[in-house]
Amino acid sequence: MDDLDGASRAWREAGFTLKEGRLHPNGLRNRHVKLADGSSVELMAVVGEPTDALALGYRRFLQDGEGGAFLALGAPAESVATAATRVGIPVERSGGGPFRYVVPSGSGRDAVFFIEYATPVVDPDSLTTHANGSTGTAEVVVEADAGLVSLLEALGGVPCEDELAPMSRGRRIAVADGVVTVVPAPEGARPRVRVVRLRRAGERPRAAFLRLNGVDVVWPES
């Protein structure tokens, strides 16, 4: 996003608690919406001149409009690499220390990567409690090619049909406590995260809907 403070106001007005991030050496600055199930939404902006490939790529992404840049899925790095080899998808590995990344190669998978934390991040209730009642991530709709579906299935994901109407047509894969819906990657454009559907534990209330910084965000209303 171009205006981190403006985006933060919009998310707060929608009933979300934000965790302050920091200015990174590469020129990226962030804030987080932390959820009780361990998932999160990261708000990110380029501040000043980007100094590495990630920041430069994110600036190019924003030139086509705001939106969801990445879906990060938690998984053991070795398991992802092994599964990717099994389905014929090359990957790139990076990181070390507190976390390791595994990035599936291919222009149809630019919006997805996997991350393994050496130590789980645990946030206090004050940061994971939201006025709108959101407690976790139920579904994410991401643009990608069929290779991502194969990789998710190789990691144990299960094709599914949710009782709630899917947010978008695509291949729906149950992973851990949520669903990843994979819709076709667009021709000539960098894939994006299109929808984030949040949940309230133990309830099936009607949904509130808002477009926040180029992403369709759905959460349960009281």
Side-chain angles (χ1 to χ4, degrees), residues 50-153:
T51 60
D52 67 7
L54 175 62
L56 286 166
Y58 187 58
R59 186 173 68 176
R60 287 194 297 271
F61 173 87
L62 290 175
Q63 290 172 351
D64 292 328
E66 292 189 334
F70 299 104
L71 168 62
L73 297 169
E78 289 304 321
S79 297
V80 176
T82 299
T85 298
R86 193 157 66 245
V87 298
I89 293 177
V91 297
E92 298 176 6
R93 305 192 206 191
S94 62
F99 40 73
R100 294 192 292 170
Y101 297 106
V102 180
V103 181
S105 299
S107 59
R109 306 170 202 126
D110 294 321
V112 180
F113 67 89
F114 296 82
I115 185 169
E116 178 184 11
Y117 291 94
T119 303
V121 178
V122 179
D123 291 291
D125 291 347
S126 60
L127 290 176
T128 61
T129 301
H130 303 278
N132 60 32
S134 297
T135 60
T137 302
E139 180 177 2
V140 175
V141 179
V142 62
E143 296 172 341
D145 65 5
L148 178 63
V149 175
S150 298
L151 178 55
L152 293 176
E153 290 179 344

Side-chain angles (χ1 to χ4, degrees), residues 11 14-17 33-42 71 128 130-141 162 164 167 177-179 193 195-210 212 215-221:
W11 283 77
F16 293 98
T17 302
V33 176
K34 296 286 188 172
L35 297 158
D37 69 349
S39 63
S40 65
V41 177
E42 182 178 10
L71 168 62
T128 61
H130 303 278
N132 60 32
S134 297
T135 60
T137 302
E139 180 177 2
V140 175
V141 179
D162 197 278
L164 298 176
M167 304 309 303
D177 296 327
V179 173
V193 174
V195 180
V196 175
R197 177 162 64 87
L198 304 179
R199 65 159 63 93
R200 180 197 298 270
E203 298 183 16
R204 288 183 179 275
R206 61 195 179 95
F209 174 91
L210 194 63
L212 293 170
V215 180
D216 294 334
V217 181
V218 185
W219 68 94
E221 276 192 324

